[in-house]
Amino acid sequence: MSSFDEHRQIRESGAAIAGSVGSTALIDEATSELVIVRSQWRSVARRFFHHRVATLALLIFILLALAALGANFISPYDPNPPLTASVLSSARESPSAQHLFGTDKLGRDQLSRILVALGQSLQVGLGVALLSTIIGVTVGSLAGFYRGWIDALLMRFTDLFLVLPALAVLLIAAKNPEPSFFGLFDLPPATSTEGMILLLAALGWMPMARIVRGEYLSLREREFVEAARAAGAGGPRIILRHLLPNSVGPIVVFATLEVGLAILTEATLSFLGAGVQIPAISLGNLIADAEDTVGTDLAYLILFPGLVLFLIVLCANFIGDGLRDALDPRARK
Amino acid sequence: MTIISETPTPLLVVDDLAVEFATSSGAIHAVNGISFTVAAGETVAIVGESGSGKSVSALAIMGLIPPPGHQTNGVVRLASQTLTDMPDRHYRTLRGRNIAMIFQDPLSSLNPAFRVGDQIVEAMTTHGTAKAEARTRAIELMESVGIANAPRRARDYPHQFSGGMRQRVMIAMAIANRPQLLIADEPTTALDVTIQAQVLDVLQAAKKDADAALLLITHDLGVVAGMADRVLVMYAGRIIEQGSVDEVLINPIHPYTRGLLAALPSLHTNSRAPLPTIAGVPPNLLSDREACALAPRCEFAIDVCRSSRPLLEAVSGNQENHQAACFRAHDMAVLKVDK
Amino acid sequence: MTRYIGRRILAAIPVLLLASLLVFVLVRQFGADPARTRCQQSRDLKCLARTRVQLGLDRPLPVQYVDFMGDFVQGDWGTSERTDQSVAESIGIALGETAQLAFWGVAFSSVVAISVGVYSANKAYSPGDYFFTGLAFAGIAMPTFWFGLICINYLTFHLKELLNTNEVIFFSIPNATGHGAINGFRELALPVLVLSVQLVAGWSRYQRSSMLDELDSDYIRTARSKGLTRRRVVWKHGLRNSLGALVTVIAIDAGALFGGLIVTERVFSRPGMGTLFLNALGNGDSAVLIPWMIVTGVFIIIFNLFADILYGVLDPRVRVA
Ligand SMILES: Nc1ncnc2c1ncn2[C@@H]1O[C@H](COP(=O)(O)OP(=O)(O)OP(=O)(O)O)[C@@H](O)[C@H]1O
Ligand code: SF4
Ligand SMILES: [Mg+2]
């Protein structure tokens, strides 16, 4: 649904970006190329900051990230304190000056817990985006440049996953207590942050691979690639110096959208009990833990973590939108 | 501006019309103050190279300038009504009923999802004709433009017709309400050369049939010679020469018109070659400098051509029938056409 | 057309077979061990080994797969490892429940998405368009499970207090005692709303962009030149042509709902495919999980095919060709 539209737009913007950057790749003097590339990135930045919503989103995203990073310094309370009598005595306190987001059923400060969970979400989001981009770009590059069996395999493989309900596949895989890499070596289980990142990236790199592949296929035929080939450049050189730089736009945009998607998916898995397990905290299991407060005065225990989750994903998506506009000047008038 | 008219009350009056497109690189002056009239029943041709503003002028008359364009100046009048600034709710009742338009590409101009019969019917029902009556008339119209098997063909979709047949459908649709003015924007450019003449014959017959005036935009000077009473030559959004077809084609004054004609093999042969191109770069519509737009490409250009703009003026005593906008019109008049 | 459909069905079979293999491997390799599930209650130390042999789990995976598929295509789907219920029967019942929810969700989402999409394209870059763009972004970023809980919190509980009644207006769980259309509405309103958020967000953007493409085309100009009102041009000529693309997307997404309502069913405690899956997953019941995955895959493939056919039906150019 949404990704359909997204992919289509990315594909379109990709072609446009190739058009704007492509000609510079012809210039073979390294210095002038660098200068041009640098000035291009400057104008990309300028266009990005023209997108006011995206700029605001970036600002909020950075603030939230800083808050999560400095959770230890900011939050006045221990997110997972020993449940002493004094802690328990402050249970179920509505939001107040002392506890901005209130306290949970066991008296723990909800804001402190949300900050920890937010850090976990951001780790997952950025980690998955990074890892799936690395895998996706590698596979997509090989498939798009060399075609052949890698390409055929990639296409069949992704077709295969398209006919399976994604969340169900993730849930089954996440439930595995002792995952391993085809039995060769052990992997961390999805209950840990690293395990979750590995899982989501392992099952989430395919759209990126297809995007990169599509980019390369359209770039392959263009003059500057032909020229490089005629000049005797080998595969890796053409990929690294010509194809990859010209595909940066769609890659960056899609990677940004992956951040939001990964955060949402992880939260959903944890909500359904297949991800991060208590006592470790995630936005998903915070909400699952408070599910029974629905309709009561304690419903703020659901409201706040969800709002933070929604906000961080929204920001990531708006940043992606801003990047798309910035990298594709023709999209806007 | 003087309005040239052959009859006391012309059907269409276009007075000092200007259209601009607001783009990120500045305003494009697509039409720069053109004035002309079309009398009832008359055929007026507009010629000019690509981008000279022919289609935009036609769309301005229809009140359908596409965004980001807008009319910045001038008045368009049809019969006694002023179309310019008319509210769309009122304007639309004239479209298709009093003025109708035929477009260049009949395939993309017909809705691919509806049967052609229904599309013709719609042109009538939207102006109040009863559905049943419109159906009968649609079949008649299709027959009148030479579509065999009309009752059955009416149920077909546009893609099931050939290019020529599609344009016949467009013509049938345009004359459905017997408009006073028919605008045809390069009606045969997209068609196969072999059927262009047939379609033009159909257009001519349809115009007579509906008793309409025809504003014919074309690239083909042969068509101008064969069909039009008068001709307007446009360049860079302006009319640079106009007059009766006999005068302009046989005795062209403006260097641009001469260029067009010189490149043509022979006016009276049956060739339907596209409008010949003139050497040099097309004008930049972004700048609106006080100069003759042709000056950079004109072999006759003198200093004044680059510092001020020539106005349309009568060519040696021929006030009604021939005007040109060139500082050297008098010199040109004595200079024989180089053939 | 018939031949085309036939060809598409044939082409779908290998995809389905490969997908079933993938599912089999996934569930067997990554899911819980069925023998362990059966022996959870047992004190017998030999239980595990015995059950393995009993269930044929000691054989190589490919052999197990061929064996399983042989039974599966013959309609022998076995029984649950937990409840001894017929798997085919429980999937059938669950499909019915999910289909009902999916149907109303798709119907509601289509109407809203088309209206919003056409409006936004028609008024592109107006404040109204930006408003709906913002809403679509919000919809895409919305955690479904959280939105469901929030809806229950406000529309089930707080609304009741607000209106100062004893009776809940919108149910948060299926209402077993009620009957009739009104009751059905009160029961389905919230789940339909929740599952529609993502659908509407995606579809309305899609409809907006395909409508924008159509509004740019020549036949729109022709329709205007005939004297049609702008509204009629948009809603008749433009919509008719832009719909083909959206209907395809709707059909594809609708197919995915049979295995895609896990969260909605879970939040609203509704029986159906999602609940069946979560229960089987919790129980480590691979006898249910594998057929469940294959069935949802079949639905996705069928609806993809359906989308292709619909596209042909809606576009006369494809229909005749
Ligand atoms: N939608 C638009 N956006 C921006 N500029 C436009 C648009 N439509 C037309 N123009 C500008 O108006 C000028 C005149 O265009 P017009 O279509 O009238 O040319 P024309 O004389 O009909 O040419 P052709 O023979 O190719 O049909 C063009 O050069 C173009 O720069
Ligand atoms: S005014 Fe000058 S430049 Fe323009 S056409 Fe006449 S001679 Fe040529
Ligand atoms: Mg034109």
Side-chain angles (χ1 to χ4, degrees):
Chain A
M1 49 201 145
S2 63
S3 58
F4 202 105
D5 202 1
E6 222 76 88
H7 288 203
R8 217 173 64 114
Q9 287 175 4
I10 289 166
R11 183 63 46 82
E12 283 161 9
S13 69
I17 294 153
S20 60
V21 189
S23 55
T24 64
L26 263 177
I27 303 169
D28 229 349
E29 276 171 83
T31 46
S32 58
E33 196 175 85
L34 266 182
V35 171
I36 289 171
V37 167
R38 194 177 303 151
S39 76
Q40 258 172 4
W41 282 109
R42 201 172 294 150
S43 73
V44 164
R46 203 189 52 230
R47 280 195 297 268
F48 179 87
F49 290 120
H50 258 285
H51 193 314
R52 263 173 286 161
V53 182
T55 311
L56 183 67
L58 181 65
L59 198 71
I60 296 175
F61 192 90
I62 291 174
L63 284 178
L64 286 174
L66 285 177
L69 212 62
N72 287 342
F73 307 102
I74 299 174
S75 53
Y77 303 91
D78 183 349
N80 250 340
L83 297 173
T84 58
S86 80
V87 169
L88 286 169
S89 70
S90 59
R92 296 161 190 269
E93 279 179 17
S94 301
S96 65
Q98 264 121 43
H99 300 283
L100 277 180
F101 288 179
T103 60
D104 71 2
K105 288 169 276 181
L106 298 174
R108 297 172 292 198
D109 180 54
Q110 183 77 343
L111 174 61
S112 311
R113 291 173 71 73
I114 287 176
L115 284 178
V116 173
L118 177 64
Q120 195 269 351
S121 281
L122 285 170
Q123 272 179 48
V124 169
L126 296 173
V128 170
L130 187 70
L131 195 56
S132 67
T133 299
I134 292 172
I135 305 174
V137 168
T138 308
V139 177
S141 294
L142 296 177
F145 185 77
Y146 293 106
R147 314 289 317 263
W149 63 268
I150 304 180
D151 190 29
L153 207 64
L154 170 70
M155 297 313 283
R156 292 296 84 75
F157 194 56
T158 44
D159 281 348
L160 218 55
F161 269 93
L162 284 180
V163 304
L164 296 177
L167 187 60
V169 172
L170 283 169
L171 281 167
I172 291 175
K175 272 287 186 178
N176 186 5
E178 293 149 356
S180 72
F181 188 80
F182 298 107
L184 295 177
F185 51 87
D186 288 343
L187 295 173
T191 46
S192 71
T193 304
E194 313 83 69
M196 181 57 79
I197 292 174
L198 281 178
L199 172 67
L200 293 183
L203 291 171
W205 54 269
M206 287 160 291
M208 178 66 92
R210 281 181 94 130
I211 286 173
V212 172
R213 169 190 180 270
E215 280 306 307
Y216 282 20
L217 286 187
S218 67
L219 287 171
R220 263 170 73 96
E221 311 303 330
R222 295 173 49 126
E223 318 86 66
F224 63 89
V225 178
E226 302 269 317
R229 211 186 308 242
R237 191 183 150 84
I238 294 178
I239 290 177
L240 289 177
R241 270 187 66 90
H242 298 286
L243 296 175
L244 194 57
N246 280 294
S247 310
V248 162
I251 293 173
V252 168
V253 172
F254 193 70
T256 317
L257 298 177
E258 287 262 285
V259 175
L261 191 65
I263 292 177
L264 263 187
T265 312
E266 182 274 324
T268 306
L269 289 175
S270 296
F271 172 79
L272 294 173
V276 176
Q277 305 289 327
I278 288 178
I281 310 170
S282 108
L283 289 170
N285 74 19
L286 269 184
I287 296 172
D289 195 34
E291 198 183 349
D292 55 355
T293 67
V294 151
T296 70
D297 292 341
L298 293 183
Y300 60 83
L301 290 175
I302 298 173
L303 188 67
F304 292 124
L307 271 181
V308 170
L309 173 60
F310 171 62
L311 192 63
I312 194 84
V313 176
L314 189 64
C315 285
N317 289 352
F318 270 127
I319 294 169
D321 191 55
L323 283 173
R324 174 162 43 224
D325 281 1
L327 293 165
D328 179 9
R330 275 188 275 171
R332 242 156 231 253
K333 26 174 197 132
Chain B
M1 281 252 122
T2 38
I3 297 160
I4 311 98
S5 58
E6 300 198 325
T7 52
T9 46
L11 171 68
L12 174 76
V13 177
V14 174
D15 189 10
D16 207 17
L17 173 72
V19 178
E20 279 180 21
F21 286 89
T23 68
S24 55
S25 33
I28 294 177
H29 305 274
V31 178
N32 270 320
I34 62 169
S35 303
F36 65 93
T37 63
V38 178
E42 191 185 19
T43 297
V44 174
I46 305 182
V47 296
E49 68 184 351
S50 193
S52 54
K54 306 182 296 291
S55 299
V56 172
S57 305
L59 290 171
I61 294 168
M62 294 296 294
L64 293 176
I65 302 170
H70 55 109
Q71 186 176 333
T72 51
N73 194 23
V75 176
V76 177
R77 274 197 294 274
L78 184 78
S80 53
Q81 303 197 68
T82 302
L83 304 185
T84 304
D85 293 334
M86 184 183 270
D88 194 68
R89 145 179 61 83
H90 191 178
Y91 211 142
R92 64 153 280 264
T93 63
L94 303 178
R95 279 188 214 119
R97 194 165 56 115
N98 299 51
I99 341 167
M101 187 156 172
I102 298 160
F103 298 96
Q104 179 173 338
D105 181 355
L107 179 58
S108 62
S109 295
L110 288 167
N111 190 324
F114 295 121
R115 303 175 195 280
V116 297
D118 292 346
Q119 297 192 49
I120 301 175
V121 164
E122 188 184 40
M124 291 178 271
T125 51
T126 197
H127 294 292
T129 312
K131 195 129 192 186
E133 190 189 333
R135 282 230 180 81
T136 323
R137 176 140 166 79
I139 307 284
E140 286 168 20
L141 283 163
M142 285 177 72
E143 274 160 358
S144 79
V145 295
I147 298 174
N149 244 330
R152 193 176 55 77
R153 296 294 270 159
R155 300 181 48 76
D156 282 345
Y157 290 91
H159 74 273
Q160 291 166 291
F161 285 76
S162 69
M165 287 295 151
R166 280 181 209 128
Q167 198 58 298
R168 286 169 197 247
V169 170
M170 285 295 292
I171 293 171
M173 193 151 70
I175 58 165
N177 296 307
R178 304 175 59 82
Q180 298 161 283
L181 175 67
L182 204 53
I183 303 176
D185 187 357
E186 304 188 30
T188 57
T189 310
L191 303 181
D192 218 50
V193 196
T194 49
I195 50 163
Q196 291 188 352
Q198 293 169 23
V199 171
L200 284 170
D201 288 345
V202 170
L203 178 63
Q204 182 82 303
K207 167 205 179 265
K208 285 232 173 65
D209 199 39
D211 214 7
L214 175 63
L215 185 62
L216 177 65
I217 297 172
T218 177
H219 272 171
D220 189 336
L221 291 172
V223 171
V224 176
M227 285 180 74
D229 303 313
R230 285 191 299 123
V231 58
L232 319 172
V233 185
M234 284 189 74
Y235 186 79
R238 289 194 167 81
I239 296 174
I240 50 98
E241 183 157 13
Q242 66 173 15
S244 71
V245 167
D246 295 343
E247 270 294 324
V248 175
L249 292 194
I250 292 172
N251 224 348
I253 293 296
H254 201 280
Y256 178 71
T257 318
R258 287 191 171 198
L260 294 184
L261 285 163
L264 207 68
S266 165
L267 209 68
H268 300 289
T269 63
N270 215 5
S271 87
R272 305 227 176 253
L275 197 73
T277 45
I278 314 284
V281 252
N284 177 4
L285 295 176
L286 282 170
S287 81
D288 196 20
R289 272 192 327 121
E290 281 292 316
C292 174
L294 192 67
R297 299 162 86 178
C298 179
E299 57 176 310
F300 304 102
I302 49 178
D303 283 348
V304 64
C305 304
R306 295 180 196 94
S307 57
S308 51
R309 189 180 296 134
L311 298 176
L312 265 183
E313 275 165 8
V315 172
S316 40
N318 208 339
Q319 175 69 31
E320 295 285 301
N321 277 339
H322 197 173
Q323 296 179 310
C326 172
F327 288 119
R328 302 194 61 187
H330 295 288
D331 305 340
M332 302 305 292
V334 294
L335 223 120
K336 276 246 179 271
V337 182
D338 187 25
K339 271 237 163 132
Chain C
M1 196 78 193
T2 328
R3 181 182 298 172
Y4 171 73
I5 296 172
R7 208 152 14 109
R8 284 298 313 267
I9 292 177
L10 282 182
I13 290 175
V15 178
L16 205 57
L17 275 177
L18 275 176
S20 69
L21 179 64
L22 187 69
V23 165
F24 195 83
V25 174
L26 184 77
V27 174
R28 278 289 148 81
Q29 283 300 103
F30 297 101
D33 182 347
R36 211 166 280 188
T37 310
R38 296 227 166 170
C39 294
Q40 236 161 28
Q41 319 291 339
S42 163
R43 297 267 171 105
D44 187 354
L45 290 174
K46 295 231 178 79
C47 173
L48 209 61
R50 202 180 52 233
T51 319
R52 281 185 163 278
V53 176
Q54 232 171 37
L55 295 174
L57 296 177
D58 53 336
R59 298 170 303 164
L61 212 54
V63 178
Q64 292 185 42
Y65 170 73
V66 171
D67 201 37
F68 164 80
M69 276 315 275
D71 288 345
F72 186 81
V73 294
Q74 285 173 47
D76 178 7
W77 292 14
T79 56
S80 155
E81 282 153 13
R82 259 310 170 78
T83 59
D84 281 335
Q85 237 178 347
S86 151
V87 170
E89 204 173 295
S90 25
I91 287 184
I93 294 170
L95 273 177
E97 294 285 346
T98 299
Q100 189 193 22
L101 188 55
F103 172 81
W104 289 111
V106 169
F108 173 74
S109 305
S110 313
V111 172
V112 176
I114 290 171
S115 314
V116 170
V118 173
Y119 171 87
S120 296
N122 198 18
K123 299 258 156 74
Y125 308 112
S126 70
D129 177 31
Y130 281 118
F131 173 74
F132 284 119
T133 304
L135 273 193
F137 266 91
I140 288 168
M142 186 66 77
T144 309
F145 64 92
W146 179 69
F147 185 65
L149 294 177
I150 292 299
C151 281
I152 295 175
N153 190 50
Y154 289 106
L155 295 177
T156 301
F157 292 104
H158 283 221
L159 187 66
K160 195 177 74 172
E161 282 165 29
L162 199 73
L163 298 178
N164 209 3
T165 61
N166 276 329
E167 211 188 343
V168 162
I169 313 267
F170 300 112
F171 300 129
S172 65
I173 49 169
N175 180 23
T177 54
H179 295 285
I182 305 267
N183 185 68
F185 171 75
R186 289 165 63 187
E187 186 184 309
L188 283 171
L190 294 189
V192 164
L193 179 70
V194 168
L195 80 90
S196 296
V197 168
Q198 298 256 331
L199 296 182
V200 169
W203 294 352
S204 66
R205 298 306 290 168
Y206 195 82
Q207 176 61 16
R208 177 185 183 273
S209 77
S210 61
M211 190 72 184
L212 270 181
D213 289 348
E214 294 301 331
L215 289 183
D216 234 11
S217 53
D218 287 353
Y219 69 81
I220 291 289
R221 194 179 55 189
T222 307
R224 292 272 283 153
S225 81
K226 291 198 286 194
L228 271 65
T229 57
R230 200 180 148 77
R231 171 176 306 194
R232 200 159 166 71
V233 168
V234 168
W235 286 97
K236 184 180 172 190
H237 289 257
L239 182 59
R240 178 65 179 70
N241 280 283
S242 63
L243 224 46
L246 180 69
V247 165
T248 310
V249 174
I250 290 179
I252 292 172
D253 285 349
L257 288 183
F258 289 92
L261 293 179
I262 296 174
V263 171
T264 309
E265 288 181 0
R266 154 77 174 71
V267 169
F268 291 97
S269 320
R270 296 189 63 81
M273 290 294 276
T275 302
L276 182 67
F277 175 84
L278 284 179
N279 287 340
L281 186 71
N283 293 338
D285 194 346
S286 65
V288 173
L289 286 181
I290 296 173
W292 188 95
M293 294 287 280
I294 296 176
V295 166
T296 54
V298 167
F299 270 93
I300 290 174
I301 289 178
I302 289 177
F303 274 73
N304 267 289
L305 188 59
F306 187 51
D308 276 4
I309 296 167
L310 265 183
Y311 189 76
V313 169
L314 282 176
D315 189 335
R317 285 166 295 188
V318 183
R319 193 192 308 162
V320 177

PDB file of all heavy atoms in Angstrom, chain B residues 49-56 59 104 185-186 217 219, chain C residues 221, ligand 3:
ATOM      1  N   GLU B  49       6.067  28.921 -36.722  1.00  0.00           N
ATOM      2  CA  GLU B  49       6.848  27.762 -36.306  1.00  0.00           C
ATOM      3  C   GLU B  49       6.433  27.291 -34.914  1.00  0.00           C
ATOM      4  O   GLU B  49       5.674  27.969 -34.221  1.00  0.00           O
ATOM      5  CB  GLU B  49       8.347  28.081 -36.339  1.00  0.00           C
ATOM      6  CG  GLU B  49       8.780  29.083 -35.290  1.00  0.00           C
ATOM      7  CD  GLU B  49      10.261  29.440 -35.439  1.00  0.00           C
ATOM      8  OE1 GLU B  49      10.962  28.788 -36.227  1.00  0.00           O
ATOM      9  OE2 GLU B  49      10.689  30.370 -34.763  1.00  0.00           O
ATOM     10  N   SER B  50       6.937  26.153 -34.543  1.00  0.00           N
ATOM     11  CA  SER B  50       6.593  25.554 -33.262  1.00  0.00           C
ATOM     12  C   SER B  50       6.956  26.513 -32.123  1.00  0.00           C
ATOM     13  O   SER B  50       8.030  27.101 -32.122  1.00  0.00           O
ATOM     14  CB  SER B  50       7.341  24.237 -33.110  1.00  0.00           C
ATOM     15  OG  SER B  50       6.803  23.534 -32.040  1.00  0.00           O
ATOM     16  N   GLY B  51       6.020  26.685 -31.180  1.00  0.00           N
ATOM     17  CA  GLY B  51       6.294  27.544 -30.044  1.00  0.00           C
ATOM     18  C   GLY B  51       5.961  29.001 -30.280  1.00  0.00           C
ATOM     19  O   GLY B  51       6.227  29.839 -29.411  1.00  0.00           O
ATOM     20  N   SER B  52       5.389  29.322 -31.436  1.00  0.00           N
ATOM     21  CA  SER B  52       5.100  30.730 -31.717  1.00  0.00           C
ATOM     22  C   SER B  52       3.820  31.204 -31.027  1.00  0.00           C
ATOM     23  O   SER B  52       3.498  32.386 -31.079  1.00  0.00           O
ATOM     24  CB  SER B  52       5.008  30.955 -33.227  1.00  0.00           C
ATOM     25  OG  SER B  52       4.076  30.073 -33.792  1.00  0.00           O
ATOM     26  N   GLY B  53       3.094  30.296 -30.388  1.00  0.00           N
ATOM     27  CA  GLY B  53       1.952  30.725 -29.595  1.00  0.00           C
ATOM     28  C   GLY B  53       0.606  30.458 -30.238  1.00  0.00           C
ATOM     29  O   GLY B  53      -0.415  30.984 -29.787  1.00  0.00           O
ATOM     30  N   LYS B  54       0.564  29.625 -31.241  1.00  0.00           N
ATOM     31  CA  LYS B  54      -0.685  29.362 -31.951  1.00  0.00           C
ATOM     32  C   LYS B  54      -1.687  28.637 -31.049  1.00  0.00           C
ATOM     33  O   LYS B  54      -2.828  29.078 -30.892  1.00  0.00           O
ATOM     34  CB  LYS B  54      -0.408  28.509 -33.200  1.00  0.00           C
ATOM     35  CG  LYS B  54       0.651  29.094 -34.122  1.00  0.00           C
ATOM     36  CD  LYS B  54       0.861  28.262 -35.366  1.00  0.00           C
ATOM     37  CE  LYS B  54       1.401  26.860 -35.101  1.00  0.00           C
ATOM     38  NZ  LYS B  54       2.794  26.832 -34.603  1.00  0.00           N
ATOM     39  N   SER B  55      -1.245  27.524 -30.458  1.00  0.00           N
ATOM     40  CA  SER B  55      -2.170  26.742 -29.630  1.00  0.00           C
ATOM     41  C   SER B  55      -2.610  27.531 -28.410  1.00  0.00           C
ATOM     42  O   SER B  55      -3.782  27.485 -28.016  1.00  0.00           O
ATOM     43  CB  SER B  55      -1.498  25.453 -29.171  1.00  0.00           C
ATOM     44  OG  SER B  55      -1.133  24.677 -30.265  1.00  0.00           O
ATOM     45  N   VAL B  56      -1.672  28.237 -27.809  1.00  0.00           N
ATOM     46  CA  VAL B  56      -2.017  29.004 -26.608  1.00  0.00           C
ATOM     47  C   VAL B  56      -3.060  30.054 -26.948  1.00  0.00           C
ATOM     48  O   VAL B  56      -4.017  30.268 -26.189  1.00  0.00           O
ATOM     49  CB  VAL B  56      -0.748  29.637 -25.995  1.00  0.00           C
ATOM     50  CG1 VAL B  56      -1.114  30.593 -24.876  1.00  0.00           C
ATOM     51  CG2 VAL B  56       0.181  28.550 -25.465  1.00  0.00           C
ATOM     52  N   LEU B  59      -6.379  28.268 -27.204  1.00  0.00           N
ATOM     53  CA  LEU B  59      -6.894  27.878 -25.893  1.00  0.00           C
ATOM     54  C   LEU B  59      -7.382  29.098 -25.122  1.00  0.00           C
ATOM     55  O   LEU B  59      -8.331  29.013 -24.339  1.00  0.00           O
ATOM     56  CB  LEU B  59      -5.823  27.120 -25.106  1.00  0.00           C
ATOM     57  CG  LEU B  59      -5.518  25.724 -25.655  1.00  0.00           C
ATOM     58  CD1 LEU B  59      -4.300  25.125 -24.965  1.00  0.00           C
ATOM     59  CD2 LEU B  59      -6.724  24.801 -25.479  1.00  0.00           C
ATOM     60  N   GLN B 104      -5.053  18.384 -31.958  1.00  0.00           N
ATOM     61  CA  GLN B 104      -4.052  17.799 -32.852  1.00  0.00           C
ATOM     62  C   GLN B 104      -4.063  16.274 -32.849  1.00  0.00           C
ATOM     63  O   GLN B 104      -4.113  15.649 -33.894  1.00  0.00           O
ATOM     64  CB  GLN B 104      -2.675  18.322 -32.454  1.00  0.00           C
ATOM     65  CG  GLN B 104      -1.552  17.769 -33.292  1.00  0.00           C
ATOM     66  CD  GLN B 104      -0.235  18.468 -32.958  1.00  0.00           C
ATOM     67  OE1 GLN B 104      -0.227  19.569 -32.441  1.00  0.00           O
ATOM     68  NE2 GLN B 104       0.870  17.830 -33.277  1.00  0.00           N
ATOM     69  N   ASP B 185      -6.872  22.925 -34.271  1.00  0.00           N
ATOM     70  CA  ASP B 185      -5.447  23.116 -33.995  1.00  0.00           C
ATOM     71  C   ASP B 185      -4.656  21.980 -34.639  1.00  0.00           C
ATOM     72  O   ASP B 185      -4.585  20.881 -34.111  1.00  0.00           O
ATOM     73  CB  ASP B 185      -5.225  23.140 -32.482  1.00  0.00           C
ATOM     74  CG  ASP B 185      -3.786  23.516 -32.137  1.00  0.00           C
ATOM     75  OD1 ASP B 185      -2.975  23.685 -33.068  1.00  0.00           O
ATOM     76  OD2 ASP B 185      -3.486  23.643 -30.932  1.00  0.00           O
ATOM     77  N   GLU B 186      -4.072  22.264 -35.773  1.00  0.00           N
ATOM     78  CA  GLU B 186      -3.297  21.270 -36.519  1.00  0.00           C
ATOM     79  C   GLU B 186      -4.037  19.933 -36.605  1.00  0.00           C
ATOM     80  O   GLU B 186      -3.533  18.913 -36.139  1.00  0.00           O
ATOM     81  CB  GLU B 186      -1.925  21.077 -35.868  1.00  0.00           C
ATOM     82  CG  GLU B 186      -1.163  22.382 -35.752  1.00  0.00           C
ATOM     83  CD  GLU B 186       0.268  22.184 -35.284  1.00  0.00           C
ATOM     84  OE1 GLU B 186       0.841  21.131 -35.582  1.00  0.00           O
ATOM     85  OE2 GLU B 186       0.805  23.085 -34.627  1.00  0.00           O
ATOM     86  N   ILE B 217      -5.432  26.305 -37.427  1.00  0.00           N
ATOM     87  CA  ILE B 217      -4.006  26.388 -37.129  1.00  0.00           C
ATOM     88  C   ILE B 217      -3.313  25.283 -37.921  1.00  0.00           C
ATOM     89  O   ILE B 217      -3.740  24.124 -37.873  1.00  0.00           O
ATOM     90  CB  ILE B 217      -3.750  26.211 -35.625  1.00  0.00           C
ATOM     91  CG1 ILE B 217      -4.430  27.355 -34.872  1.00  0.00           C
ATOM     92  CG2 ILE B 217      -2.268  26.156 -35.327  1.00  0.00           C
ATOM     93  CD1 ILE B 217      -4.417  27.186 -33.371  1.00  0.00           C
ATOM     94  N   HIS B 219       0.536  23.890 -40.049  1.00  0.00           N
ATOM     95  CA  HIS B 219       1.941  24.040 -40.412  1.00  0.00           C
ATOM     96  C   HIS B 219       2.090  24.040 -41.922  1.00  0.00           C
ATOM     97  O   HIS B 219       3.170  24.204 -42.434  1.00  0.00           O
ATOM     98  CB  HIS B 219       2.747  22.867 -39.845  1.00  0.00           C
ATOM     99  CG  HIS B 219       3.234  23.104 -38.466  1.00  0.00           C
ATOM    100  ND1 HIS B 219       3.818  22.121 -37.711  1.00  0.00           N
ATOM    101  CD2 HIS B 219       3.240  24.204 -37.707  1.00  0.00           C
ATOM    102  CE1 HIS B 219       4.159  22.619 -36.542  1.00  0.00           C
ATOM    103  NE2 HIS B 219       3.812  23.886 -36.511  1.00  0.00           N
TER     104      HIS B 219
ATOM    105  N   ARG C 221      -8.949  18.012 -21.544  1.00  0.00           N
ATOM    106  CA  ARG C 221      -9.099  19.290 -22.233  1.00  0.00           C
ATOM    107  C   ARG C 221     -10.270  19.212 -23.229  1.00  0.00           C
ATOM    108  O   ARG C 221     -11.077  20.139 -23.324  1.00  0.00           O
ATOM    109  CB  ARG C 221      -7.789  19.606 -22.956  1.00  0.00           C
ATOM    110  CG  ARG C 221      -7.662  21.019 -23.429  1.00  0.00           C
ATOM    111  CD  ARG C 221      -6.323  21.208 -24.106  1.00  0.00           C
ATOM    112  NE  ARG C 221      -6.152  20.231 -25.187  1.00  0.00           N
ATOM    113  CZ  ARG C 221      -5.012  20.039 -25.847  1.00  0.00           C
ATOM    114  NH1 ARG C 221      -3.951  20.719 -25.530  1.00  0.00           N
ATOM    115  NH2 ARG C 221      -4.945  19.153 -26.811  1.00  0.00           N
TER     116      ARG C 221
HETATM  117 MG    MG D   3       0.367  23.885 -30.998  1.00  0.00          MG
END
